[in-house]
């Protein structure tokens, strides 16, 4: 197994269907019109020397190394910027060209440090390769002339260095930052000999606009921009393609290794979700995998006040099986349950829900999607018949109007955001609906046409007002609605939307969005060409989350924006496998593929294969499990890869529920906050140690491949299997592929999925079955999965959570680029350089009223709890709104979020909490006590050494 080398064709492939024939070095070749001579030559097997060209960027033509001669044409044009023409006769290797290329290389090398043997890029340097390719043997100019060899290195970025002495000013980094990433952090400063790469105005990388995506490092042909891990470890010698373990974009990477040591993660050009790009988390933030906090041995304790005792796997598994059996005997079959994780693979998740249904004999299984995208599942299933987004990511390239609602893609889904920014730079229009001025509203070369800065909690009112404009101004796509949707539900909805109380003028009073802006935004979406809606947790995490999803679906159907590239309803999923966790039957009422547990035919299919009778009654959701624990009827919980004590709302209630249980089992990488209340800890594996699949936000099933052996000795699916067998089941899987085969047998939308197919295609998007053997990039093309699309009346019912004299501000929460969810992974990496603590964003007006200055400690109080953190005074939030992230356990932002939740799915209302903010001088008493308890509960007694 060697290093996977992707061919660099120098320039992008042309998409033209017209073909052009020419000869290169006497060889006939036919390529699409618009192909560069460089690429055509490469496709014919001839590598023309190059330095400034690379096929991920537009051709630039600056290095003059790729010169060619063309019969009948004067001069020596650059092959990277010259397109092929019919009948052209090109020569790439004449004596004249050789001399010219050597001359160019002599100039570069005369101003380059000659430390190849000790350079970190030795063996992976295009300058070195080109010196060889042009046959450079000496440098006539010597090395004593004016040069750039004495310049300071910039080592400020935690992950890569910038050594200007090695820079050849090819500008690949600058173009990667602009074209691929869309950040525009780099420039070429100065002219001629004085020109140099600069990150901002004389700043270091860390202090600049750079978001550390690493695109420039990857593009750099020399060692100027270089990963610190390569400098430290050396060049990798083999690689494995796998999928990022962080967010729902699902980027593919080559994990480049030396032996069992990961050297670097390089985004995989063939990866269909990311097309060779990445963000700081996926590319660089993997150090947590070997962090000293990793727990690698199973541990048990009878009481949560006892220290942890390291035990063998057999003892830990046996203990759990005995305890769960005892609890069921004493309290009943329904007294235990399980929680699956969106961070785990499809196969792991499938096994946990199987264990609960087939082993525990109940349906008390739920997943963290409960607290994020459960309204998406319910809302889209009702409207279209499928609980998933409608498009693939490529679809954005065909969008004319992009609507972003309650999502912050540049932070939450950065690689997809880069594709979105590219489309916006190419002319698509943008409408942002968000209480906060997210970066997309205004950033280099991107500006939203409209920002509807609504009050938190008024999504449904605003979405219905958009519908009002579309209905009353005759902007409905009548033919689409007639052909594709239910006429009765459409008529009911249209009559409702047209009511004067839903007009922008009325809704302005509740939402704060000026009626004229709202009207113009509705007109743009309905008439601006392909309209695509992308939304996030700012839509779902409300008491009316499901209603808002339905309102979005209504808008798309009414305007005919479904069933083709460039349009659609696209939930931006948070965690890497939140789509998969839902698909796999993690909810208490559904088996895999979203089929209700009470459906006899479906249940029978599972019963026959599993050889057990299944309960037809839906089980408990997470909040119900916690309520039942406090009430005394729920006593044991198996939690795989979730930290409900930090991520779920109303922390005090979660803790009360956990404390009431007799056997809490946590399977995770670290002793997380939930583990403070656990009796058994089972060490889990990182994505680098896993074999399996993740399903991303576009329904794409991607392979996760084991890069290093499991550090704890057992893969996560093996742990679940051991537990199942200890509880009397008879499972004998030997590889996750066998679990996928079972999923395919039991789930119609996965019927055609197998590891063999994933190897063949790289990835597939479900539905993948006989009707769509290669998967389904765009859904609902001819007809909706449910037949006709269903419009739903979306009555706006304001949340019970209101601001008032005691709690006059509305808190909304979100995340930041460098951190990930509860931060368990990213806090254990160098990413803390960007976000060492959670901060409270507060508008200058609200801050001044309270005497709060930037950086002050403030107390954040709601009717359920309080916490302290430091203030960041900013007009990104509107007056009356405050905002924070929830990445740090010391802050415990969820101490203040309330028990309110979505009417249909119980998804918590994280996005609206009435709060008061006041000055304070440090952490609250609750935080101090919590920290003390947490520290005490992490005491570990090491396993006695074997005799
Ligand atoms: S830093 Fe690298 S990519 Fe950027 S101009 Fe210099 S050599 Fe080229
Ligand atoms: S790391 Fe990314 S954002 Fe930073 S300069 Fe390089 S390309 Fe630009
Ligand atoms: S965008 Fe998401 S999936 Fe891609 S590298 Fe970043 S965190 Fe990983
Ligand atoms: S590679 Fe064509 S000019 Fe540099």
């Amino acid at each position: 197994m060697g290093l996977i080398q992707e061919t660099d064709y120098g320039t992008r492939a042309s998409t033209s269907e017209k073909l052009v024939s020419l000869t290169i070095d006497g060889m006939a070749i036919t390529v699409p019109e618009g192909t560069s001579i460089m690429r055509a030559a490469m496709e014919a097997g001839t590598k023309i020397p190059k330095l400034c060209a690379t096929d991920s960027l537009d051709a630039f033509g600056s290095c003059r190394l790729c010169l060619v001669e063309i019969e009948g044409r004067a001069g020596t044009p650059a092959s990277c910027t010259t397109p092929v023409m019919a009948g052209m006769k090109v020569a790439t290797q004449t004596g004249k060209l050789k001399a010219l290329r050597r001359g160019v290389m002599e100039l570069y090398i005369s101003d380059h440090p000659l430390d190849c043997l000790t350079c970190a890029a030795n063996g992976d340097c295009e300058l070195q390769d080109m010196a060889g390719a042009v046959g450079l043997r000496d440098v006539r100019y010597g090395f004593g002339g004016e040069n750039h060899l004495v310049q300071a290195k910039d080592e400020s970025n935690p992950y890569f260095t910038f050594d200007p002495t090695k820079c050849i000013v090819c500008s690949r980094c600058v173009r990667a930052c602009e074209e691929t990433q869309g950040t525009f952090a780099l420039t070429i400063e100065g002219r001629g000999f004085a020109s140099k790469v600069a990150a901002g105005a004389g700043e270091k990388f860390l202090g600049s606009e750079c978001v550390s995506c690493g695109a420039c490092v990857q593009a750099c042909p020399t060692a100027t921009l270089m990963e610190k891990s390569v400098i430290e470890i050396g060049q990798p010698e083999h690689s494995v393609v796998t999928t990022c373990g962080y967010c729902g974009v699902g980027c593919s990477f080559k994990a480049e290794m030396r032996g069992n040591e990961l050297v670097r993660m390089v985004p995989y050009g063939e990866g269909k979700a990311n097309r060779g790009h990445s963000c700081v988390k996926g590319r660089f933030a993997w150090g947590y995998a070997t962090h000293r906090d990793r727990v690698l041995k199973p541990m048990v304790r009878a009481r949560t006040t006892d220290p942890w005792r390291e035990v063998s796997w057999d003892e830990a598994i046996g203990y759990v099986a005995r305890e769960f059996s005892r609890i069921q005997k004493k309290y009943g079959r329904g007294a235990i349950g399980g929680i699956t994780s969106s961070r785990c693979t499809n196969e792991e998740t499938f096994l946990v829900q199987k264990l609960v249904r087939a082993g525990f004999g109940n349906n008390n299984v739920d997943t963290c999607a409960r607290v994020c995208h459960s309204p998406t599942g319910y809302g889209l299933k009702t409207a279209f018949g499928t609980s998933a987004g409608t498009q693939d990511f490529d679809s954005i390239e065909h969008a004319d109007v992009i609507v972003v609602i309650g999502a912050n893609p540049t932070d939450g889904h950065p690689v997809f955001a880069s594709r979105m920014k590219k489309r916006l730079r190419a002319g698509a229009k943008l409408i942002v609906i968000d209480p906060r001025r997210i970066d997309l509203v205004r950033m280099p070369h991107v500006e939203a046409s409209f920002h509807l800065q609504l009050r938190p909690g008024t999504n449904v009112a605003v979405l219905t007002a958009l519908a009002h404009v579309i209905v009353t101004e005759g902007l409905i796509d009548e033919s689409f609605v007639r052909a594709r949707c239910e006429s009765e539900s459409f008529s009911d909805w249209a009559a409702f939307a047209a009511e004067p109380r839903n007009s922008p003028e009325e809704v302005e009073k509740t939402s704060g969005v000026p009626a004229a802006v709202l009207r113009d935004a509705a007109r743009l979406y309905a008439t601006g060409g392909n309209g695509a809606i992308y939304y996030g947790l700012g839509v779902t995490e409300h008491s009316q989350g499901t209603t808002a999803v339905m309102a979005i679906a209504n808008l798309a159907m009414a305007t005919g924006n479904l069933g083709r590239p460039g349009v659609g309803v696209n939930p931006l999923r948070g965690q890497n496998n939140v789509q998969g966790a839902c698909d796999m039957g993690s909810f208490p009422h559904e088996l895999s593929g979203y089929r209700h547990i009470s459906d006899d035919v479906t249940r029978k299919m599972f019963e026959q294969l599993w050889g057990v009778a299944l309960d037809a009654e839906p089980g408990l959701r997470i909040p119900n499990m916690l309520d039942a624990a406090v009430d005394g009827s729920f006593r044991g919980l198996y939690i795989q890869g979730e930290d409900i004590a930090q991520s779920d709302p109303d922390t005090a209630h979660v803790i009360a529920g956990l404390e009431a249980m007799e056997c809490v089992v946590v399977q995770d990488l670290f002793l997380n906050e939930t583990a403070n209340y656990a009796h058994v800890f089972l060490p889990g594996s990182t994505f680098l140690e896993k074999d399996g699949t993740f399903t991303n936000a576009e329904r794409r099933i991607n392979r996760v491949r084991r890069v290093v052996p499991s550090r704890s000795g057992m893969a996560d699916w093996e742990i679940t299997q051991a537990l199942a067998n200890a509880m009397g089941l008879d499972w004998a899987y030997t590889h996750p592929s066998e679990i996928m085969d079972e999923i395919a047998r039991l789930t119609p939308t996965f019927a055609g999925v197998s590891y063999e197919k994933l190897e063949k295609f790289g990835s597939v998007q479900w539905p993948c079955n006989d009707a769509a053997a290669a998967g389904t990039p765009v859904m609902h093309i001819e007809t909706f999965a449910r037949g006709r699309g269903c419009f739903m009346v979306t009555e706006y019912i304001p949340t019970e959570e209101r601001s008032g004299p005691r709690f006059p501000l509305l808190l909304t929460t979100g995340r930041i680029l460098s951190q990930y969810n509860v931060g368990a992974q990213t806090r254990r990496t160098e990413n803390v350089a960007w976000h060492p603590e959670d901060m409270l964003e507060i508008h200058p007006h609200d801050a001044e009223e309270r005497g709060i200055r930037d950086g002050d400690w403030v107390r954040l109080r709601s009717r359920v709890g309080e916490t302290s953190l430091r203030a960041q005074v900013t007009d990104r939030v509107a007056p009356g709104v405050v905002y924070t992230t929830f990445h740090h356990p010391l802050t415990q932002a969820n101490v203040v979020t309330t028990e309110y939740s979505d009417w249909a799915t119980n998804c918590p209302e994280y996005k609206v909490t009435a709060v008061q903010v006041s000055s304070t001088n440090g952490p609250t008493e609750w935080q101090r006590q919590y920290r003390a308890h947490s520290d005490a509960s992490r005491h570990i007694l090491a396993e006695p050494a074997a005799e």
Side-chain angles (χ1 to χ4, degrees), residues 392-456:
D392 59 359
F393 289 151
D394 288 352
S395 168
I396 192 87
E397 281 156 30
H398 306 276
D400 301 308
V401 180
I402 298 168
V403 185
V404 176
I405 313 178
N408 187 5
T410 53
D411 284 38
H413 304 85
V415 165
F416 180 65
S418 290
R419 295 184 75 174
M420 186 183 273
K421 287 187 281 183
K422 193 169 194 173
R423 180 65 198 142
L424 291 167
R425 290 198 302 277
K429 299 275 185 287
L430 174 67
I431 300 167
V432 173
I433 306 179
D434 202 289
R436 217 165 139 252
R437 198 184 64 233
I438 58 170
D439 284 348
L440 274 179
V441 172
R442 192 172 304 116
M443 63 192 320
H445 305 277
V446 168
E447 180 153 11
S449 301
F450 303 105
H451 176 202
L452 279 52
Q453 196 166 16
L454 74 184
R455 280 192 198 109

Side-chain angles (χ1 to χ4, degrees), residues 306-324:
D306 294 343
W308 284 108
R309 191 168 53 85
E310 288 180 351
V311 296
S312 66
W313 276 108
D314 283 349
E315 187 176 342
I317 298 288
Y319 182 90
V320 178
R322 279 195 305 280
E323 275 295 280
F324 279 179

Side-chain angles (χ1 to χ4, degrees), residues 51-52 112 162-164 166-175 186 188 196-197 205 216-217 219-225:
L51 274 172
C52 68
H112 199 80
F162 173 63
D163 179 356
K166 300 195 165 172
C167 181
I168 57 169
V169 202
C170 66
S171 151
R172 272 162 65 159
C173 54
V174 178
R175 289 178 284 140
L186 302 178
I188 301 282
K196 59 175 190 184
V197 172
F205 268 82
C216 56
V217 181
C220 183
T222 66
T224 314
L225 285 158

